[in-house]
Structure formats: C-alpha cells, structure tokens
Amino acid sequence: MKKYTYTEKKDTRSGFGAGMAELADKNPNVVGLCADLIGSLKFEKFIEKAPERFFQIGIAEANMIGMAAGLATEGKIPFTGTFANFSTGRVYDQIRQSVAYSGKNVKICASHAGLTLGEDGATHQILEDIGLMKMLPGMTVINTCDYNQTKAATIAIADYEGPVYLRFGRPVIPVFTDENQKFEIGKAWMVNEGKDVTIIATGHLVWEAIKAGEILEEQGIDAEIINIHTIKPLDFEAILTSVRKTGCVVTAEEHNRLGGLGDSVAQLLITEYLAPQEYVAVNDSFGESGTPDQLMEKYGLTANDIVEAVKKVMKRK
C-alpha cells in the first residue's frame, strides 16, 4: 500500500478561493458571482484583486444563473458560487434552460456539499446534486478530494469550454495531493495499485478509502484505489482495466447511493464487464444536524464502512 501523509488540514472550499485568486491574475475574462456567501465561498482574494469583475447578487440564486448565462454569451467566463443545495436544487430550471440546453460556458461552483455541511442540517445539505447535474446533457461534473486538487480543478475549468459543475466542501480534511499537480478533466487518478479489490472513491471519501486501504493491507487484502474526481465524463478505461484485474468493486461517495458515482460505475459494468459491486453512500435518506464526524459515522461513510463493504464484495467474486 502506497503511503500518503499530510502536514496540514484545509477545507476544499479554500482551495476554490485560492484558485479564483490565481485566475484573477491569469485570466481577465473570468468573473465571479456570489449569492450572499462571499466568506463561505472564500471569494475575498478574488474581490481584492479584481473588484470590477465580481458581482454580489444577494439571495437570488436563479437571477445569478441568468446573469452568468448572459455574461457567458458576451465572452466572459462566469464562476457562480453558493452552497451546493442552492447551486443545484433551487435553480435547476434556470441551469437546464439557460446554461445546459445552449451549452453556455458557465462554471457552477458549489460549496458545503454532502453531509459534512454538518450542523446546518438537512435543509442546507444536499445528497442528490451529483445525480441532478450529471443528467444534464453536456454538463461536466467534478468532485474534488482535497485543497490542492480543488485549487487545480478551479484553474483548469477556466480553460475548458462548456458548462461545469464543481463540487467541494466545508470541513477541514488532510491535504495529501501534490501542490503543483496538473488537473485533467475526465482522467482518473490511480491512488494505489492492487490486485484483490477495486475501491473507487470521490470527494471527501478518497481519504477514507486510503485509510481503508491501510486497514485492509494489515488484513492481507491488496486494494486498488482510484480517485474519480470527474464523475462526468467518467474515465471508462481506468475503471474497466482495474475491475477486470480485481474482479470486484466498491464505490464510495458522500452522496445518495441513488444517482451518484456508484450508479455511473454500475451502468458501465452492466454493459461492459459484469462484476460484483458494493456501495458506500447514504442509503436513500436525507441528512440531519450533527458534526461532520458524527454524520459520517451514522450514515456509514467511514474507512471502516469501506473495509466492511470490501469484505462483503470479495465474498461475491
């Protein structure tokens, strides 16, 4: 098992803020729009560097998406920012009609995704957003795993032509990916090569998968771990190559098991290579208030839950 260490923990939303600060200097066409959550989205540095390219829309998310579509029509590259719940569920019609249908070059950037929004509870958490966004034709869906990867993804999507949904979070988590990495949209990252089972993880669950891999190694199980940061387009080749080798797969995500990464992997396997699969995900329910750690434990999203899923799926080979 390849060893991953870290010296600090940071929230992935701060990676977005750092990426936007760099884009303020690098790309004069990038503009920022925020729905009354400048601090939560870490827009401060972007505003400091490019105040004329930032628009505070207020609590009017549908209007923000409409404005972003208009800015894109005029050649700008708009990055919208609010909580994931309000970035998707609240404005789905506007995204579908004004952005996705016409392929507008809008970057929908969503913080506080999943359960780990924590104490704000079910009304502010969203566990359906990946499913909502990946169903839109032409929409690219990205879910990053740490601060460095989020920063790199933020910078990369500015050069990508077309609508993008970028998902990140609130809790501080280990920073374990390379500081100067190149982010490739649609290209999976091989975290650890193994032969007994494939663990495919995304977002905050990548670190849990790494911890699970270390536990499994102590038990004599050699896990191959893949970070799928781009859920759409999905890296079919990386997944199929791995599962053909190991013969079984566990998917892990901070999302409803219906409509997320696990379902995308299952659709691929059912058509290309039949293999047993287990899900580590929220089991078709809303969340609730609690600390991130409490919620991850209660809803079965920890390293130990991944270990148990691995043991279950290996018995089905």
Side-chain angles (χ1 to χ4, degrees):
M1 175 73 191
K2 185 177 178 180
K3 301 301 179 186
Y4 287 88
T5 60
Y6 64 94
T7 58
E8 61 180 339
K9 293 184 177 182
K10 290 184 178 180
D11 47 342
T12 48
R13 60 177 173 160
S14 288
F16 169 72
M20 289 302 294
E22 190 164 320
L23 287 173
D25 296 327
K26 289 178 62 174
N27 194 327
N29 286 320
V30 168
V31 296
L33 300 88
C34 191
D36 201 39
L37 289 166
I38 289 171
S40 294
L41 271 290
K42 306 299 181 181
F43 263 119
E44 296 95 338
K45 287 292 184 182
F46 182 87
I47 297 169
E48 180 182 318
K49 291 184 173 188
E52 75 286 357
R53 289 191 274 132
F54 178 79
F55 302 91
Q56 171 60 281
I57 311 303
I59 306 174
E61 293 86 356
N63 190 38
M64 179 173 69
I65 295 297
M67 290 178 66
L71 286 162
T73 300
E74 295 301 312
K76 301 301 180 184
I77 307 171
F79 282 66
T80 67
T82 184
F83 289 3
N85 193 8
F86 311 141
S87 287
T88 57
R90 179 171 287 180
V91 293
Y92 196 69
D93 179 59
Q94 285 75 24
I95 294 172
R96 183 183 187 275
Q97 305 292 70
S98 299
V99 175
Y101 179 62
S102 52
K104 293 288 196 310
N105 192 29
V106 174
K107 316 307 175 185
I108 300 163
C109 303
S111 183
H112 294 58
L115 282 173
T116 50
L117 171 53
E119 291 85 350
D120 286 5
T123 58
H124 283 54
Q125 296 160 350
I126 190 165
L127 299 166
E128 316 94 67
D129 55 316
I130 290 173
L132 287 170
M133 300 306 282
K134 78 176 188 180
M135 285 191 295
L136 290 170
M139 182 66 71
T140 293
V141 179
I142 297 170
N143 186 37
T144 50
C145 69
D146 75 349
Y147 172 95
N148 287 338
Q149 191 172 80
T150 307
K151 178 182 177 182
T154 302
I155 295 167
I157 65 175
D159 294 327
Y160 173 82
E161 183 68 30
V164 175
Y165 179 58
L166 175 61
R167 183 189 204 248
F168 42 91
R170 178 187 190 182
V172 293
I173 60 172
V175 180
F176 61 95
T177 68
D178 292 340
E179 182 178 0
N180 299 311
Q181 65 190 272
K182 179 183 178 182
F183 186 88
E184 295 185 62
I185 295 172
K187 183 69 174 175
W189 172 44
M190 180 64 71
V191 178
N192 184 73
E193 293 189 16
K195 66 179 187 301
D196 295 329
V197 61
T198 299
I199 302 174
I200 298 174
T202 188
H204 295 148
L205 270 290
V206 175
W207 182 251
E208 296 298 319
I210 290 170
K211 292 195 294 182
E214 293 173 348
I215 296 169
L216 291 164
E217 182 182 41
E218 294 175 355
Q219 300 175 8
I221 297 172
D222 186 15
E224 182 146 293
I225 303 170
I226 301 174
N227 171 11
I228 295 290
H229 50 68
T230 307
I231 296 171
K232 183 185 176 185
L234 193 65
D235 191 338
F236 292 170
E237 182 180 356
I239 293 169
L240 289 172
T241 298
S242 179
V243 178
R244 285 186 175 118
K245 175 173 61 173
T246 65
C248 60
V249 60
V250 170
T251 53
E253 59 192 308
E254 189 186 346
H255 188 270
N256 194 335
R257 65 173 291 158
L258 304 176
L261 170 65
D263 275 3
S264 290
V265 172
Q267 287 180 33
L268 173 63
L269 296 181
I270 199 70
T271 56
E272 298 293 334
Y273 185 80
L274 288 176
Q277 176 179 344
E278 291 291 333
Y279 289 69
V280 173
V282 177
N283 190 20
D284 193 22
S285 74
F286 292 101
E288 61 184 291
S289 296
T291 68
D293 286 345
Q294 288 172 333
L295 295 170
M296 292 278 281
E297 184 76 32
K298 177 170 180 177
Y299 288 86
L301 305 180
T302 68
N304 287 329
D305 294 300
I306 295 173
V307 168
E308 291 307 309
V310 164
K311 292 178 179 179
K312 185 175 180 180
V313 81
M314 288 183 66
K315 290 178 180 178
R316 296 171 54 203
K317 283 208 285 184

